[in-house]
Amino acid sequence: MKTYTLEQAKDKYIGKKGTNERNAYENELRLDLIGEAIKQARKERKLTQSQLGELIGVKKAQISKIENNLTDARFETILKVFKALNAKINFNVELLNQKMDLATE
């Protein structure tokens, strides 16, 4: 029986890095991780979804959707959630080695 690394399995079953399928998968995974981080922080702060929603001015349903990755929440809303949870957040931006063609006139 042949074994695969996680990276090899993703390449084979989802698509190689840089493909549309793989990019969509990676983005979805990141959103799931953000939702899970919000849920864990909310529970650590002993807040209900309703209470957190009140702190940032949205309904409980919106918090539930963010935690379960059922909506494309605005970046501003995500920042408000983390601020209300008194959580420090870090974003890492990595520029990929992609050629950019600029149109010139």
Side-chain angles (χ1 to χ4, degrees), residues 45-104:
R45 299 286 191 227
K46 297 182 180 5
L47 293 171
T48 65
Q49 289 177 337
S50 296
Q51 291 169 326
L52 179 56
E54 286 176 26
L55 287 173
I56 66 164
V58 300
K59 296 187 184 300
K60 172 193 178 291
Q62 180 69 15
I63 300 300
S64 176
K65 287 177 181 179
I66 291 170
E67 288 182 355
N68 294 295
N69 192 24
L70 299 176
T71 186
D72 289 332
R74 294 180 61 198
F75 189 67
E76 178 182 0
T77 303
I78 299 293
L79 292 177
K80 284 181 183 179
V81 168
F82 282 117
K83 184 175 182 180
L85 292 169
N86 198 27
K88 180 181 176 183
I89 55 174
N90 295 304
F91 290 98
N92 194 18
V93 176
E94 181 180 337
L95 297 177
L96 305 174
N97 291 329
Q98 294 177 331
K99 182 179 177 185
M100 296 176 58
D101 292 323
L102 300 174
T104 58

